[in-house]
Amino acid sequence: MHQKLAQLEKTHEELTQKLVDPEVLADPKKYRETNKALAEISHVVGLYGELKKLEHELRGTEELLDTLSRDDELYAVAQEERNALVERLAELNEKIRLELVPKDPNDARNVVIEIRAGTGGQEATLFAAELFRMYSRYAEERGWRVEIIHLSESEVGGVKEVEAIIEGKGAFSRLKYEGGVHRVQRVPQTEASGRIHTSAVTLAVLPEAAEVEVGIDEKDLRIDRFCSSGPGGQGVNTTYSAIRLTHLPTGLVVCCQDERSQIKNKAKAMRVLKSRLLQIEQEKAQAEVTAERRKMVGSGDRSEKIRTYNFPQNRITDHRIGLTLHRLPDVLEGDLDPVIDPLITHFQAVRMQEAAGGTKS
């Protein structure tokens, strides 16, 4: 670990020097890239400096202990100081290990979420609406912005499918483990006999593509314009403001009818299309991501669940890490940190194991 930290310290010095290089200062792109690279390692380099200082103090204390007899009144003081330093070093080493976990390059991105009702009929659409509300409330609590791209509602006021962009610092890093099949167990309002029904909703979580990463040639697009449908006042079904983009090389289709402006709807649809194309490119480069995303969304069948929301027992269970909480109303109101934090901790530990050459847990 020390060798890696020493290399990072050297890189930090080189990048700091680059920031005052006239050639870098004259190139805004190079300056941004250099500044970003510096910011990414500055924290761990600072921790390394603290580590070296504590190790130096510990060596000095141990050398002092070697010169003292146990009867010396300073021996107990030096021993106490040594124990405190050992404890601080252990905590600092753990912090550094976490910092050295390979970073997901997508963590700082905005998020595209796609929620679709799976098995369970109308009850699944009602739960899809509740899930979307849950993530919207969570985003609101964190100061993020939610922008609906496409919404298809059911006859009972539920959601057949919804696509939205969540904009905010660290949005993908917090929500990336939410993708998968979410299962609900409860008595539907329409169930006269009081039987518990099981339904499922699929959720896909994609990092939003940056403008420079995915280029789309206009000749590769088919653009269909049509009248908006659903709630919306006088403009509904009278103006061709809704947009359907079809990416001919891949067959991907994105619809957007959220805005009254055709131009705004096209811009929103392009953001989602670029994010999907970025996902495809990343899957090509990393084959295991493809398998992971297939596992994430699956077919929408109840048996492929990652999480269960059991209303009669006031219980939410994440099956990947065996987490069970009895606070379902709070979670559905957007209090998701008690679920998300343990998932992040778990997958960080997995990445640390992989980075150290261990086996996957």
Side-chain angles (χ1 to χ4, degrees), residues 1 51 53 74 87 89 112 117 143 205-206 276-277 304 331 356:
M1 186 171 79
L51 178 71
K53 182 182 173 185
L74 288 177
E87 189 176 329
L89 273 168
V112 176
V205 180
L206 311 174
R276 290 187 185 175
L277 289 171
E304 298 173 329
V331 170

Side-chain angles (χ1 to χ4, degrees), residues 109 207 209 213-214 274-282:
R109 296 178 189 265
E213 288 177 305
V214 179
K274 285 181 177 181
S275 296
R276 290 187 185 175
L277 289 171
L278 174 66
Q279 181 77 2
I280 289 172
E281 288 304 311
Q282 289 178 338

Side-chain angles (χ1 to χ4, degrees), residues 42-90:
S42 287
H43 183 58
V44 70
V45 169
L47 292 176
Y48 180 46
E50 192 179 336
L51 178 71
K52 288 192 292 184
K53 182 182 173 185
L54 284 177
E55 287 177 338
H56 178 73
E57 289 180 19
L58 180 61
R59 282 194 298 272
T61 303
E62 287 179 335
E63 286 170 6
L64 175 62
L65 278 169
D66 287 341
T67 65
L68 297 172
S69 67
R70 291 183 177 272
D71 298 331
D72 196 308
E73 58 183 22
L74 288 177
Y75 186 88
V77 176
Q79 183 70 32
E80 189 176 332
E81 184 179 334
R82 178 194 174 280
N83 292 342
L85 286 168
V86 168
E87 189 176 329
R88 285 170 62 192
L89 273 168

Side-chain angles (χ1 to χ4, degrees), residues 225-242:
R225 298 162 178 85
F226 57 97
C227 293
S228 298
S229 60
Q234 294 180 353
V236 173
N237 295 324
T238 61
T239 60
Y240 284 80
S241 60

Side-chain angles (χ1 to χ4, degrees), residues 25 28 43 68 74 90 104 139 146 149 173 191 212 235 244 259 340 356:
L25 288 169
H43 183 58
L68 297 172
L74 288 177
D104 185 336
V146 179
I149 303 300
S173 68
E191 176 57 59
V212 296
R244 181 188 300 111
E259 301 283 350
I340 290 174

Side-chain angles (χ1 to χ4, degrees), residues 309-356:
Y309 304 75
N310 186 296
F311 279 70
Q313 297 177 14
N314 183 31
R315 171 174 59 83
I316 179 169
T317 299
D318 195 289
H319 303 284
R320 292 165 294 179
I321 59 174
L323 173 72
T324 294
L325 300 171
H326 291 278
R327 47 184 306 172
L328 186 52
D330 293 339
V331 170
L332 291 174
E333 283 298 315
D335 186 14
L336 275 166
D337 284 339
V339 180
I340 290 174
D341 287 339
L343 281 167
I344 290 175
T345 300
H346 169 78
F347 287 110
Q348 271 184 341
V350 170
R351 288 201 304 275
M352 282 176 69
Q353 238 183 7
E354 289 171 347

Side-chain angles (χ1 to χ4, degrees), residues 37-270:
L38 186 63
E40 285 174 354
I41 64 173
S42 287
H43 183 58
V44 70
V45 169
L47 292 176
Y48 180 46
E50 192 179 336
L51 178 71
K52 288 192 292 184
K53 182 182 173 185
L54 284 177
E55 287 177 338
H56 178 73
E57 289 180 19
L58 180 61
R59 282 194 298 272
T61 303
E62 287 179 335
E63 286 170 6
L64 175 62
L65 278 169
D66 287 341
T67 65
L68 297 172
S69 67
R70 291 183 177 272
D71 298 331
D72 196 308
E73 58 183 22
L74 288 177
Y75 186 88
V77 176
Q79 183 70 32
E80 189 176 332
E81 184 179 334
R82 178 194 174 280
N83 292 342
L85 286 168
V86 168
E87 189 176 329
R88 285 170 62 192
L89 273 168
E91 291 172 2
L92 188 55
N93 272 304
E94 183 59 27
K95 278 186 186 178
I96 291 172
R97 271 195 291 272
L98 286 174
E99 284 292 322
L100 291 177
V101 171
K103 298 291 188 294
D104 185 336
N106 295 321
D107 276 352
R109 296 178 189 265
N110 296 329
V111 171
V112 176
I113 61 168
E114 302 171 356
I115 298 175
R116 291 182 173 82
T119 53
Q122 297 289 11
E123 170 64 11
T125 71
L126 291 172
F127 187 57
E130 288 179 72
L131 279 188
F132 182 60
R133 179 178 178 273
M134 176 181 78
Y135 289 113
S136 298
R137 291 295 299 271
Y138 182 67
E140 182 185 333
E141 288 294 319
R142 299 188 76 87
W144 299 339
R145 181 168 172 261
V146 179
E147 192 173 358
I148 295 174
I149 303 300
H150 171 66
L151 174 65
S152 174
E153 297 176 306
S154 68
E155 296 80 359
V156 295
V159 168
K160 293 179 183 176
E161 61 179 29
V162 58
E163 296 174 5
I165 294 175
I166 299 178
E167 299 176 343
K169 186 177 180 182
F172 186 76
S173 68
R174 298 295 299 173
L175 296 176
K176 63 183 174 182
Y177 301 121
E178 292 302 291
V181 176
H182 295 242
R183 182 178 72 168
V184 59
Q185 295 175 322
R186 63 182 174 188
V187 179
Q189 294 177 358
T190 55
E191 176 57 59
S193 65
R195 279 191 311 118
I196 294 174
H197 283 229
T198 300
S199 305
V201 170
T202 66
L203 171 62
V205 180
L206 311 174
E208 186 187 10
E211 188 67 32
V212 296
E213 288 177 305
V214 179
I216 298 177
D217 197 321
E218 285 287 334
K219 69 180 176 60
D220 289 336
L221 287 178
R222 186 175 73 235
I223 304 174
D224 299 311
R225 298 162 178 85
F226 57 97
C227 293
S228 298
S229 60
Q234 294 180 353
V236 173
N237 295 324
T238 61
T239 60
Y240 284 80
S241 60
I243 288 288
R244 181 188 300 111
L245 297 181
T246 304
H247 187 246
L248 300 174
T250 61
L252 290 174
V253 178
V254 178
C255 298
C256 184
Q257 59 178 31
D258 189 52
E259 301 283 350
R260 295 283 291 274
S261 161
Q262 188 181 108
I263 294 172
K264 288 181 179 178
N265 280 331
K266 183 183 176 184
K268 283 187 175 183
M270 284 290 282

